[in-house]
């Protein structure tokens, strides 16, 4: 049975990023399908309140945010690398650029088009998640400007791909997976024609190359079985630092705070230890980039 348990749902673009990485590395993994909106009662015992999608579970270790999830998959299965050659920092910086500049506008363009058709419960949830109104009329008014933003950034992406098969050269890096899932989100919801409208026609062969990696060897796992796996496992040993109580929260959307004992900290990663009646002791791993750490 695979060590990797990905808590995800089919329509989630950030989940698609990780699914595609499993494809690239031809890895087996187990999928727990989680709710698209809160409440997520079978996820919260593992994450202590972190609600974003996806979350990677390995026994009693829980990895939040795809920046760190990719690092952990890479650490365990280094070949083929997500950071080929000496590209790790470039790949991470480019991932940050495309996700932070293009994911929000992509969501705005999509929900301007389909927002009238989504259930009210989804609108209310995503308003709470983003801290902003979910108002399809406002999104429709903003859509032309959002499309302009996407075109400006996608022109750089298309330029990077003009003379090379992948963003940083001959092999795909983490950056390609970050760009891929944003475009996957747009194409899945608005149809393939949106690519040309947003200046991505020339990048489509790259998109097809990314899609062709597939999803690796997926099997399904029940949410309760995932909780049981966490309950039976111990977190991987760390050089415990016992740094006192702390709170970690995302700095953009889904800012629900997670409290725990700070047990490891460096410039890239923070680890909180938490205990929950359903899963016992777990270690929650977050990246530093994109998260705020407050120590008690
Ligand atoms: N920086 C996060 C972003 C994750 C994210 O925003 N995921 C979206 C879905 S693709 C989400 O959490 N939406 C609300 C939800 O699923 O509850 C990451 O890289 O994992």
């Amino acid at each position: 049975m695979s060590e990797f348990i990905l808590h995800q749902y089919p329509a989630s673009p950030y989940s698609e990023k990780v699914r595609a990485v499993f494809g690239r590395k031809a890895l087996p993994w187990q999928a727990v399908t989680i709710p698209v909106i809160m409440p997520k009662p079978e996820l919260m015992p593992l994450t202590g309140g972190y609600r974003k999608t996806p979350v990677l579970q390995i026994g009693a270790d829980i990895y939040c945010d795809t920046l760190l999830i990719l690092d952990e998959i890479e650490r365990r299965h280094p070949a083929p690398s997500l950071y080929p050659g000496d590209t790790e920092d470039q790949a991470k910086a480019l991932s940050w650029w495309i996700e932070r500049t293009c994911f929000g506008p992509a969501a705005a363009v999509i929900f301007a088009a389909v927002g009238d058709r989504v259930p009210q419960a989804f609108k209310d949830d995503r308003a709470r998640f983003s801290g902003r109104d979910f108002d399809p009329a406002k999104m429709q008014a903003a859509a032309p400007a959002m499309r302009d933003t996407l075109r400006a950034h996608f022109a750089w992406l298309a330029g990077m791909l003009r003379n090379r098969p992948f963003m940083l050269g001959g092999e795909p890096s983490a950056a390609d997976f970050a760009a891929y899932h944003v475009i996957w989100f747009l194409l899945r919801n608005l149809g393939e024609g949106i690519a040309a409208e947003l200046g991505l026609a020339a990048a489509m062969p790259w998109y097809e190359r990314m899609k062709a990696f597939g999803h690796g060897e997926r099997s399904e796992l029940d949410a309760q079985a995932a909780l049981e796996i966490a309950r039976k496992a111990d977190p991987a040993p760390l050089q415990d630092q016992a740094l006192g109580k702390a709170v970690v929260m995302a700095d953009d959307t889904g800012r629900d705070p997670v409290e725990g004992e700070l047990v490891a900290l460096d410039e890239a990663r923070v680890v909180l230890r938490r205990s929950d009646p359903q899963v016992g002791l777990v270690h929650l791993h977050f990246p530093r980039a994109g998260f705020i750490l407050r120590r008690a």
Side-chain angles (χ1 to χ4, degrees):
M1 202 42 83
S2 164
E3 60 197 324
F4 295 121
I5 301 171
L6 191 69
H7 296 257
Q8 51 87 60
Y9 54 84
S12 157
Y14 281 91
S15 301
E16 178 64 13
K17 175 182 177 184
V18 182
R19 292 186 294 247
V21 163
F22 286 136
R24 166 66 174 151
K25 290 178 178 276
L27 290 173
W29 60 286
Q30 301 184 79
V32 175
T33 298
I34 62 170
V36 174
I37 62 174
M38 293 294 274
K40 304 188 186 188
E42 294 172 306
L43 183 67
M44 293 302 112
L46 294 169
T47 65
Y50 180 80
R51 63 149 299 176
K52 292 201 200 191
T53 312
V55 167
L56 179 70
Q57 174 187 353
I58 302 174
D61 283 274
I62 311 298
Y63 300 88
C64 297
D65 199 282
T66 60
L67 171 62
L68 192 61
I69 290 173
L70 264 54
D71 264 356
E72 193 56 32
I73 297 171
E74 175 81 5
R75 199 175 67 78
R76 289 165 188 259
H77 297 275
S81 180
L82 295 170
Y83 313 117
D86 187 23
T87 62
E88 179 167 348
D89 298 316
Q90 287 172 71
K92 287 180 174 168
L94 283 176
S95 301
W96 184 270
W97 154 65
I98 195 127
E99 289 176 341
R100 289 267 169 157
T101 57
C102 294
F103 186 73
V109 167
I110 290 167
F111 290 116
V114 305
D116 287 327
R117 283 179 262 143
V118 302
Q120 189 58 42
F122 181 88
K123 292 181 194 169
D124 294 344
D125 179 79
R126 289 305 191 265
R128 274 194 302 277
F129 177 74
S130 65
R132 281 196 240 149
D133 279 1
F134 189 108
D135 178 349
K138 282 190 191 155
M139 289 171 176
Q140 279 153 20
M146 295 292 117
R147 282 171 179 254
D148 285 347
T149 298
L150 290 175
R151 268 188 219 103
H153 288 282
F154 287 167
W156 293 345
L157 175 63
M160 279 180 227
L161 293 166
R162 198 167 298 130
N163 295 316
R164 41 182 103 74
F166 295 100
M167 288 163 72
L168 292 173
E171 299 292 320
S173 72
D176 293 276
F177 292 92
Y180 165 70
H181 80 84
V182 176
I183 296 160
W184 175 88
F185 187 34
L186 284 159
L187 268 57
R188 177 184 160 97
N189 286 286
L190 300 177
E192 305 244 320
I194 192 72
E197 278 177 51
L198 296 176
L200 284 172
M204 280 304 99
W206 160 85
Y207 180 79
E208 294 303 329
R209 280 196 289 281
M210 293 301 295
K211 205 169 172 185
F213 289 127
H215 287 168
E217 206 184 299
R218 169 179 172 155
S219 57
E220 306 304 312
L221 184 71
D222 179 73
Q224 283 298 327
L227 294 176
E228 182 66 17
I229 288 171
R231 183 161 51 236
K232 287 193 176 143
D234 292 322
L238 288 171
Q239 290 200 326
D240 281 15
Q241 295 177 28
L243 298 166
K245 287 201 182 314
V247 174
V248 172
M249 64 190 264
D251 69 3
D252 54 354
T253 52
R255 297 167 59 99
D256 309 72
V258 182
E259 284 180 38
E261 292 287 330
L262 184 58
V263 289
L265 182 67
D266 63 22
E267 72 287 350
R269 198 184 271 231
V270 48
V271 185
L272 294 184
R273 174 177 293 162
R274 285 184 50 82
S275 183
D276 177 280
Q278 289 192 60
V279 294
L281 210 58
V282 293
H283 281 174
L284 273 148
H285 304 247
F286 299 91
R288 299 299 300 274
F291 286 82
I292 298 163
L293 167 68
R294 291 214 180 88
R295 295 172 69 168

